[in-house]
Amino acid sequence: MKQLDQLPEIANRSLGGLHASPEMRYAIQMKAARQQKRKTQAMVFTKIAAPVLCAAVLLALFFFPSAPLNTVAPPSITSLPLGQLQAGDTNGATLLGEVSVSNSRAAGDSGIWSSVTSGTFPLIGVKGRYYRMLSSPSAVSASSALQSLGIVEEYTTEPSLSDTGIISSNCVSAGDEVYTFNGYNNTFVCAKVNGEYRLFQRVSFNGHATLGKETLIDTLSISGHIQSMSISGIGTVSDSSAAENLFRILTDNATYESSGSIRSSSILTITLSDGISAQMLISEDRLAACGVWSCPEFISAFSAAVN
């Protein structure tokens, strides 16, 4: 205990003569003040930044809304024959049969094909061949439904995931019949949708287009039924024999490119004798419906015919 009692005296002897000068005290005080200032600034910045950041997030959500966090994004289903149309003027329309064809199309216009809803367009898949519902005509006669191709085996909202070896649809109920239409083999089918028979045209879908050795005329078997042709922005060929000749030029010279899509700027509408129409999308010298086809000969011949 004696040693502990003597500890202050020992410390004084060991540190004797050691005193903090005014300069040293000033330096220590300034260092401590700077550290305290930095801590204070950090706290102030944090208090300011937090509400600013929250406000920025709220503004971003308001001006750039996104899908709800609990929403599962649907699989990517490409509307392969649709493409995107460039914006244009709204000129007068020429009535072709039951189809009104304007001289220019608005962006995203699908012509007489039914529009895309919920990720894809209304379709029927018949064992690897796909058909898109037409918006015009809005219904067809039941007597036009000839040979049965079978019943819809699967109704699905995700047709891209269906087996290609069956008949499936995202608009025709399971168990309903699918028929050929007026002998247009591989070009049109019809089936009941909401109690009415609707017409569907052969198109590409999800990387599927022609099968085997099919050519353009196999997917567009309309020769002998053509009344007129119209290309939006170019004009109309009203003479049926001239239109049939143009169709021969198309089918004789078209070269298959892909099962993909095109960014189209105009639409070819082919009006048939049954009061129905088929269509293809056009981008420069390429045309798309069931597959993408290159045919500059047809574009040149059509332009010459309307001029």
Side-chain angles (χ1 to χ4, degrees):
M1 295 298 294
K2 184 175 181 181
Q3 290 181 343
L4 292 176
D5 293 338
Q6 295 175 346
L7 184 59
E9 182 182 350
I10 295 171
N12 288 333
R13 286 200 304 266
S14 301
L15 302 174
L18 182 61
H19 299 283
S21 65
E23 292 81 2
M24 184 180 297
R25 285 198 302 272
Y26 177 76
I28 293 171
Q29 291 171 350
M30 289 301 295
K31 183 177 181 181
R34 283 195 297 270
Q35 290 176 343
Q36 183 62 37
K37 183 178 180 181
R38 282 196 294 268
K39 290 180 181 179
T40 302
Q41 289 174 339
M43 292 179 64
V44 171
F45 177 78
T46 301
K47 291 180 180 179
I48 295 174
V52 170
L53 180 59
C54 291
V57 171
L58 291 174
L59 288 173
L61 290 174
F62 179 78
F63 288 105
F64 306 100
S66 59
L69 294 178
N70 60 351
T71 300
V72 179
S76 177
I77 303 173
T78 306
S79 305
L80 291 173
L82 179 59
Q84 293 293 324
L85 302 181
Q86 297 175 358
D89 300 329
T90 54
N91 296 328
T94 304
L95 188 64
L96 301 179
E98 299 182 10
V99 184
S100 179
V101 182
S102 64
N103 289 332
S104 58
R105 297 280 179 174
D109 189 1
S110 54
I112 61 172
W113 287 333
S114 292
S115 301
V116 173
T117 57
S118 301
T120 190
F121 45 76
L123 62 82
I124 298 174
V126 182
K127 299 179 180 179
R129 294 180 173 90
Y130 290 90
Y131 300 82
R132 181 171 183 168
M133 190 166 74
L134 301 181
S135 58
S136 178
S138 58
V140 294
S141 171
S143 62
S144 300
L146 300 180
Q147 179 184 353
S148 173
L149 296 173
I151 64 170
V152 174
E153 300 169 64
E154 180 183 30
Y155 174 85
T156 175
T157 57
E158 302 293 354
S160 62
L161 304 179
S162 292
D163 185 352
T164 57
I166 65 172
I167 299 179
S168 62
S169 178
N170 61 356
C171 61
V172 180
S173 300
D176 283 1
E177 295 271 355
V178 177
Y179 302 91
T180 60
F181 180 81
N182 272 3
Y184 291 101
N185 296 332
N186 293 333
T187 303
F188 298 109
V189 299
C190 65
K192 266 188 179 180
V193 179
N194 298 326
E196 293 185 311
Y197 282 95
R198 299 297 301 268
L199 194 61
F200 295 73
Q201 182 187 338
R202 179 83 179 271
V203 295
S204 302
F205 173 70
N206 201 41
H208 300 282
T210 58
L211 293 180
K213 295 182 179 180
E214 283 184 322
T215 62
L216 177 58
I217 201 168
D218 293 318
T219 67
L220 202 59
S221 303
I222 57 177
S223 180
H225 301 273
I226 300 173
Q227 293 295 299
S228 63
M229 281 187 179
S230 177
I231 295 180
S232 54
I234 297 180
T236 300
V237 175
S238 300
D239 181 74
S240 60
S241 59
E244 287 279 4
N245 183 58
L246 287 170
F247 185 71
R248 281 192 294 272
I249 294 173
L250 174 61
T251 55
D252 288 347
N253 295 279
T255 302
Y256 182 78
E257 284 195 355
S258 73
S259 62
S261 61
I262 60 174
R263 184 176 180 83
S264 59
S265 55
S266 56
I267 295 177
L268 166 65
T269 304
I270 306 173
T271 303
L272 307 177
S273 54
D274 302 79
I276 62 173
S277 296
Q279 78 171 22
M280 300 184 77
L281 303 185
I282 299 177
S283 176
E284 297 179 349
D285 60 3
R286 297 187 300 156
L287 302 95
C290 182
V292 178
W293 304 81
S294 174
C295 193
E297 297 87 351
F298 169 76
I299 302 300
S300 298
F302 188 95
S303 299
V306 297
N307 293 329

